[in-house]
Amino acid sequence: MRFVILMCKPARVAMLAAGVLFSASGMSQVNSPFSRFGIGDLYNARNVASKGMGGIATSYTDIQSVNFINPASYSKIGFVTFDVGLETEFRTFSNQEKTDRYQSANILFNYVALGLPIKKSKDKLKTVWGLAFGLRPISRIKYDIQDFGRIPGIDSSVTEYRGTGGLYRAFAGTGFSLGNLSLGINAGWVFGQQDINTYRTLINDTTFYYTANFGQNTSINKFMADAGMMYSIKTSKKSEIRIGVNGYLGGDANASRDVVSQTSFFNSFGSADTLDVVERKSMEGTYTMPAGYSVGISYDKINDIMLSAEYEIVKWTDLDNFGQSNKMGDINMFRAGAQWIPDAIGGKQYFRQVAYRAGFFTGKDYVVVNDKQLPVWGVTVGGGFPIKRYNAYSTQYSTVNLSFEYGRRGGNDTPYFERYFRLNLGLALSDIWFIPRQYD
């Protein structure tokens, strides 16, 4: 936790920022063959300040950002804060021999959240009760894979696998403090869809064949809740150790699925147009979602340094859709990070008031290829840059958060692996609301 630096210019761009984020989410999506597995490519939807420190969040608080991973942190929100994030990503997917190599660049919606302090302590110095609302992505599906081969006794063929979609979570939460103990809960809906298509075309020099298409469109929605706690142990007047825990239960999500078998042809834009529907059916079912939890610990010296580490487990082996189990692995992830502010209050040089961040993470992804669970690791750096206020009487405080992440998914013993570079941009717009007038 830190005091907000009172050098922030009011940025009247909240609506513009939200518009840019939602527009960006429609411009491009994750482009990865690994998104074919499970519910898609899992999204690290944490706020940009956390991402700069390896993604630590279980025991992390900041009075000017919304940490929606652990809702107990809402009890520490110091100002009404509009927190938004945007991500630019560059991926390289290749085989071990590097003879096959594919690259993609994406601009992605990261999150949007609003945090509200509801009640202050008796001395009015600290928030003891806060609320938060927001929307964040959970997973994204975007892939296009072609497989050339021959069907014995029939003809040569090309099979194309295409997938789009993803899941989002809309949430509302609250957190409150009871002395050194903070408790919180989030509740909301997980919703989205998966559009999966398999196209097969026979290739012949003399005979033209239309394309066969087998498609599944699945819609998913589920009420979800998660809870968290933090306990603070004072080590001095300006420092403390925080222990954090958060977790959520799995369960069955309502799902509906439309299945279609048809003949198609690809138009000049690369899209498949329907010629004839062979079979179409709809069904209702369930999508069993996994449970998970994380534990973390932080040492925090206000306006100086913070060190944090956490461990997360998510039971993705429990994933089940329409009664069919998925061959997935449990996520096990270790994260560690640090933040340092050289001189937050008295510094006359701007860059001595910047919050410098760094971290790393390592663990296992839930994707299993050739009976081997994919390892993942990454390193991050970042910073929180205060924006100067336009006058001394302004109550608006703004911070631009940046983080850079380099990582890899897949090891030397897996046939394919991904390298990626991400640039995350976050904007925290804060103001002091609901203060009664002292003078008329």
Side-chain angles (χ1 to χ4, degrees):
M1 187 178 70
R2 61 185 175 89
F3 292 128
V4 68
I5 301 170
L6 302 182
M7 283 189 57
C8 303
K9 182 179 179 181
R12 301 176 182 177
V13 295
M15 295 303 295
L16 177 61
V20 170
L21 286 171
F22 284 109
S23 297
S25 68
M27 290 171 58
S28 182
Q29 290 187 330
V30 171
N31 187 10
S32 170
F34 289 146
S35 68
R36 179 176 173 84
F37 298 91
I39 63 171
D41 201 25
L42 297 181
Y43 200 84
N44 184 24
R46 297 166 183 242
N47 69 41
V48 178
S50 293
K51 287 186 174 185
M53 297 178 282
I56 57 97
T58 307
S59 57
Y60 171 68
T61 67
D62 190 320
I63 62 174
Q64 203 193 0
S65 65
V66 183
N67 175 15
F68 38 78
I69 299 300
N70 190 340
S73 66
Y74 302 157
S75 65
K76 307 296 184 182
I77 296 174
F79 309 92
V80 176
T81 298
F82 181 72
D83 199 353
V84 295
L86 180 69
E87 178 179 298
T88 301
E89 177 188 73
F90 304 91
R91 292 194 181 210
T92 300
F93 181 84
S94 60
N95 59 1
Q96 294 294 343
E97 296 77 18
K98 297 183 180 179
T99 55
D100 294 331
R101 183 183 177 92
Y102 308 95
Q103 294 180 316
S104 65
N106 310 282
I107 299 177
L108 305 170
F109 163 61
N110 205 309
Y111 61 88
V112 58
L114 177 66
L116 304 167
I118 300 300
K119 184 179 180 180
K120 295 284 187 176
S121 59
K122 291 182 179 179
D123 56 13
K124 305 297 182 182
L125 295 178
K126 296 181 179 179
T127 303
V128 295
W129 180 26
L131 299 176
F133 310 88
L135 174 69
R136 61 186 181 94
I138 296 177
S139 67
R140 295 184 184 274
I141 301 172
K142 178 65 176 179
Y143 62 87
D144 190 344
I145 308 168
Q146 289 185 335
D147 180 23
F148 294 88
R150 182 174 182 82
I151 302 175
I154 299 180
D155 220 326
S156 298
S157 68
V158 56
T159 304
E160 185 171 3
Y161 306 92
R162 290 187 180 185
T164 59
L167 299 180
Y168 289 83
R169 181 177 182 185
F171 67 92
T174 185
F176 58 92
S177 294
L178 299 171
N180 294 334
L181 178 65
S182 296
L183 302 173
I185 187 170
N186 281 325
W189 285 94
V190 172
F191 62 93
Q193 66 175 17
Q194 299 174 316
D195 193 5
I196 308 300
N197 289 277
T198 301
Y199 301 94
R200 173 165 289 178
T201 304
L202 299 180
I203 302 174
N204 189 284
D205 293 335
T206 59
T207 305
F208 173 77
Y209 295 98
Y210 285 112
T211 299
N213 173 29
F214 176 78
Q216 292 184 352
N217 183 278
T218 306
S219 296
I220 302 169
N221 65 86
K222 177 176 173 54
F223 174 82
M224 291 284 288
D226 61 278
M229 62 80 67
M230 291 186 186
Y231 188 79
S232 301
I233 304 170
K234 283 288 185 181
T235 56
S236 71
K237 290 183 178 180
K238 292 187 177 181
S239 64
E240 66 181 15
I241 293 175
R242 283 191 307 274
I243 300 171
V245 177
N246 77 283
Y248 50 91
L249 298 176
D252 291 341
N254 296 323
S256 60
R257 174 172 291 174
D258 293 326
V259 180
V260 62
S261 299
Q262 59 189 14
T263 55
S264 307
F265 73 96
F266 290 100
N267 58 36
S268 58
F269 299 101
S271 300
D273 291 335
T274 301
L275 286 172
D276 184 32
V277 176
V278 178
E279 181 184 17
R280 183 189 299 273
K281 59 182 178 180
S282 299
M283 61 186 74
E284 301 292 328
T286 59
Y287 224 103
T288 303
M289 305 297 286
Y293 68 90
S294 64
V295 295
I297 186 170
S298 296
Y299 169 77
D300 193 350
K301 186 175 182 181
I302 297 175
N303 293 322
D304 191 348
I305 192 169
M306 186 189 72
L307 305 172
S308 186
E310 69 180 48
Y311 184 69
E312 179 187 26
I313 295 177
V314 186
K315 300 291 291 183
W316 282 102
T317 50
D318 295 337
L319 182 64
D320 178 279
N321 71 91
F322 286 79
Q324 297 180 345
S325 61
N326 291 258
K327 192 175 183 180
M328 315 302 295
D330 293 338
I331 285 181
N332 296 269
M333 195 72 65
F334 175 78
R335 302 181 179 91
Q339 175 179 274
W340 176 54
I341 307 174
D343 193 352
I345 302 299
K348 295 182 179 180
Q349 298 180 6
Y350 175 79
F351 285 101
R352 291 185 60 80
Q353 299 180 338
V354 172
Y356 297 95
R357 301 167 180 138
F360 73 93
F361 59 88
T362 182
K364 295 285 188 179
D365 192 76
Y366 80 158
V367 175
V368 176
V369 177
N370 291 350
D371 296 323
K372 295 180 179 179
Q373 194 171 346
L374 297 183
V376 293
W377 62 264
V379 293
T380 68
V381 295
F385 300 87
I387 305 176
K388 188 176 180 179
R389 291 188 298 170
Y390 71 99
N391 67 52
Y393 301 101
S394 174
T395 61
Q396 297 176 317
Y397 314 118
S398 300
T399 299
V400 174
N401 291 302
L402 291 174
S403 73
F404 304 88
E405 177 183 331
Y406 175 79
R408 170 170 168 150
R409 176 164 56 169
N412 294 328
D413 56 350
T414 56
Y416 290 89
F417 67 92
E418 278 184 334
R419 287 193 176 100
Y420 61 86
F421 174 79
R422 292 180 180 136
L423 168 62
N424 299 288
L425 170 63
L427 186 60
L429 309 175
S430 301
D431 203 343
I432 301 175
W433 290 4
F434 312 122
I435 298 179
R437 292 186 180 182
Q438 303 297 319
Y439 302 96
D440 247 344

